[in-house]
Amino acid sequence: MTSLHTTSVRRRRLGVAAAAAGLFATLLTAGPAAATPDPGDAATTRGGISVGEQAEARAAIKSGEIPGVDEIVHSDNIEHLTNIPKDALQGLNTDLAFQGKYAYAGNYDGFRIFDISNPKKPRTVAQVLCPGSQNDISVSGNLLFLSTDSSRSDNSCTSTTQPATEKSSWEGMKVFDISDKRNPKYVAAVETACGSHTHTIIPERKDVYVYVSSYSPNVTFPDCQPPHDGISVIKVPRKAPQDARIVSFPVLFPDGGNPGAPDNPGVSKTTGCHDITVLPSKDLAAGACMGDGLLFSIKDPENPKIIDRVQDNVNFAFWHSASFNQDADKVVFTDELGGGGAATCNDEIGPNRGADGIYDITGKGDERKLVFRSYFKIDRPQADTEVCVAHNGSLIPVKGRDLMVQAWYQGGVSVWDFTDSSKPKEIAYFERGPVSTDAVTTAGPWSAYYYNGYIYSNDIAKGFDVLKLDDRRTDPAKRVRLPELNVQTQPEYFRH
C-alpha cells in the first residue's frame, strides 16, 4: 500500500488552449474504424507528441492549471482513502463488481478479489491469471462471469494469442465458481460470435441470463462473420453452470444500424453493441451500440423487444455505455470519442463531443421515446498527453435526486447531478495529473462506482482506489446497503 499526498483544490475552467486541431480533424473525417473502443491489447503508451504540445503541458503544470505528473488533486468533499497498486496482474485494469464485503476487479490478465470490509485497508484475497481482454466482470451468487474479446488459442486460462482468421481460435464467456473466494474455480466456457467485449447479466432464481455484446465482424474471421447486428444470449443454470449455452441471438438492427461514414462522418458504423444496462425491476434495458442508442423491453429475456432507437450524428462518435436513473425516466449515454485512446478533454474538442448525452424517457409502454435534453462533460482542463473521455459510472442512490459518479480515464472521477436533465453540473471530483508530458498515455479510472457508502475506482495504470464522499447532497446514499452490485444490472436501490 502506498501513501499518496493530496493538494489544494485546483482552478477550474473548460480547458487549456491545446494544439489538438489535427486530432479534431481526424475524428471528424475518419471512417467507421476511427473509434476503436477501449485500449485493446496494445501497450499503454500511444506515442509521442509535438515539442510544442510537450511545452504546453509543462507550462500548464507550472501555472497550476493542471496537476503535476501523477499529482493527486480533488474537491474538498472527497477524501482519498487508499490506493492498492497492481500486483501479479500487470495488464490494464478494467471493470468492477461487488458482493457483500468483496470487490472484484477485472484486468486484461485476469481478475483480482479484494476484501473491502475495511475500505481504508482493502486486502487482496485472490489473483487469478486468465489472460483475455477485456475481462469485463460480473458476479451473481457463487458465479463469476468474465468476458474474453481477444482471439485466443483455446478457452483455457493458459491460452495464447492467435489470429481470428484461424477457425480454431476462441473468444467468448468464461464462468468461475467463487464459493471459495480464495480459490476460484473455472467451470465453464461458451464461445460467442465475435467474442465478448462486454456482458450484462440478468439474474433469476434458477438461471442467470448473460447478454453478450460484441462487434466488428470481418469476412476473414470464421467465427465473426458479417452481418453481426445483434447480441448473444447465454443461459447459465446456477446448479449446473457447466451446462451454460447460447439460447438465442436476437437481431437488434434488422436494417443494419447506423451506416457510419460517408453518410455520417466521424460516427462508428453499427455492427453490434458495446454495452447494455438492464433494469430488471422495470423489465427495461438500454443499449449503447456504436452508432445507435436503444431502449428495449426484457420481459422475455431470451427475446428482447426494441422500444425506441436514437442517433446523434453531430456529436456522438461511439455509443459506449448507458445508465438509467432510479425512476427509469432518464438514460445517460456516454460517447467514447477517440476509442479511449485520445486526448479529448480540451477546448478544441469542446463540451459536446466525448461527453454524456442525457435523454428523458417520455410516454408509456411500447410508445416510450428517448428525448435528448443535454450534454455533460467535465470542464477541468487536461493536457494533450492525457487520454480523457466519458467512461463507466454508476448512480449514487439518493431519493428525489439523480446523482452519478463516473470515470473519465485521465480526467479522473467525477460526481455530477442530472436531476435537471437540461442543466447537469459537477459537484465533486478526484484526479491525478498526467502520467507523462512527453507521450499520449492510456491511464486513469476505467470504472468508478458507488457501493455501500464509498466510491471504488479501478485505475487502468495505478491500481485500485477508494474514495470517501462527504456532501449533504449525497450523504443519504450512505444508508443504502446492497448485498451485490453489478452496475450494468441496475438494482432497485430502495427495496433493500
Side-chain angles (χ1 to χ4, degrees), residues 1-306:
M1 221 173 276
T2 58
S3 61
L4 300 167
H5 73 281
T6 58
T7 68
S8 58
V9 178
R10 62 185 291 188
R11 291 186 294 144
R12 304 180 64 197
R13 63 185 183 82
L14 178 62
V16 294
L23 168 65
F24 189 56
T26 300
L27 292 170
L28 286 177
T29 60
T36 304
D38 303 318
D41 285 324
T44 56
T45 300
R46 294 293 171 178
I49 59 173
S50 71
V51 172
E53 288 171 322
Q54 293 177 36
E56 284 188 2
R58 289 192 291 269
I61 290 172
K62 186 175 181 179
S63 69
E65 193 168 42
I66 65 174
V69 172
D70 282 342
E71 180 184 12
I72 289 177
V73 295
H74 55 81
S75 54
D76 285 338
N77 53 359
I78 277 186
E79 179 185 358
H80 185 213
L81 296 183
T82 193
N83 169 264
I84 310 297
K86 293 180 184 179
D87 189 13
L89 307 177
Q90 288 294 306
L92 305 180
N93 281 333
T94 60
D95 211 3
L96 293 167
F98 305 90
Q99 191 179 64
K101 66 177 184 178
Y102 297 102
Y104 302 81
N107 179 286
Y108 272 51
D109 288 339
F111 64 93
R112 189 174 182 180
I113 303 177
F114 293 99
D115 181 335
I116 55 171
S117 53
N118 180 355
K120 293 182 179 180
K121 295 182 178 181
R123 294 185 300 104
T124 298
V125 175
Q127 298 186 72
V128 177
L129 180 65
C130 196
S133 64
Q134 302 178 138
N135 280 333
D136 193 48
I137 194 167
S138 297
V139 292
S140 181
N142 288 328
L143 299 179
L144 181 147
F145 305 88
L146 207 62
S147 286
T148 299
D149 192 37
S150 60
S151 187
R152 314 295 300 179
S153 56
D154 56 53
N155 66 8
S156 74
C157 284
T158 58
S159 67
T160 58
T161 58
Q162 182 169 289
T165 52
E166 296 188 23
K167 176 61 179 173
S168 63
S169 295
W170 186 91
E171 299 179 65
M173 286 299 307
K174 295 169 181 168
V175 184
F176 289 78
D177 183 325
I178 53 169
S179 51
D180 180 355
K181 303 295 187 292
R182 296 183 179 276
N183 186 30
K185 295 181 179 179
Y186 184 12
V187 295
V190 180
E191 186 172 16
T192 55
C194 302
S196 174
H197 192 72
T198 67
H199 70 270
T200 304
I201 65 171
I202 305 176
E204 297 190 346
R205 182 170 297 178
K206 294 182 179 180
D207 307 295
V208 180
Y209 285 97
V210 184
Y211 284 0
V212 176
S213 295
S214 54
Y215 50 88
S216 296
N218 190 301
V219 293
T220 68
F221 298 166
D223 298 318
C224 184
Q225 290 284 302
H228 181 77
D229 298 321
I231 57 175
S232 298
V233 181
I234 298 173
K235 186 176 183 179
V236 184
R238 289 190 184 276
K239 293 185 177 181
Q242 68 276 8
D243 295 336
R245 62 186 179 89
I246 295 172
V247 291
S248 66
F249 187 89
V251 174
L252 303 180
F253 302 97
D255 65 351
N258 196 318
D263 293 354
N264 299 315
V267 178
S268 291
K269 172 182 171 62
T270 298
T271 59
C273 289
H274 178 275
D275 212 342
I276 292 170
T277 291
V278 296
L279 191 55
S281 63
K282 305 289 186 183
D283 290 327
L284 278 179
C289 303
M290 304 181 75
D292 294 89
L294 297 180
L295 180 70
F296 53 99
S297 167
I298 56 169
K299 286 182 180 178
D300 179 355
E302 294 186 20
N303 298 286
K305 178 182 178 182
I306 303 299

Side-chain angles (χ1 to χ4, degrees), residues 287-359:
C289 303
M290 304 181 75
D292 294 89
L294 297 180
L295 180 70
F296 53 99
S297 167
I298 56 169
K299 286 182 180 178
D300 179 355
E302 294 186 20
N303 298 286
K305 178 182 178 182
I306 303 299
I307 296 173
D308 194 26
R309 170 180 157 193
V310 290
Q311 297 178 355
D312 180 346
N313 295 318
V314 175
N315 288 314
F316 259 49
F318 188 92
W319 296 66
H320 175 274
S321 50
S323 299
F324 289 99
N325 68 337
Q326 182 58 42
D327 291 335
D329 57 10
K330 298 175 189 176
V331 180
V332 174
F333 289 103
T334 66
D335 173 26
E336 194 183 43
L337 176 68
T344 67
C345 298
N346 51 44
D347 283 334
E348 201 67 42
I349 300 298
N352 296 337
R353 294 176 61 79
D356 295 317
I358 303 166
Y359 287 75

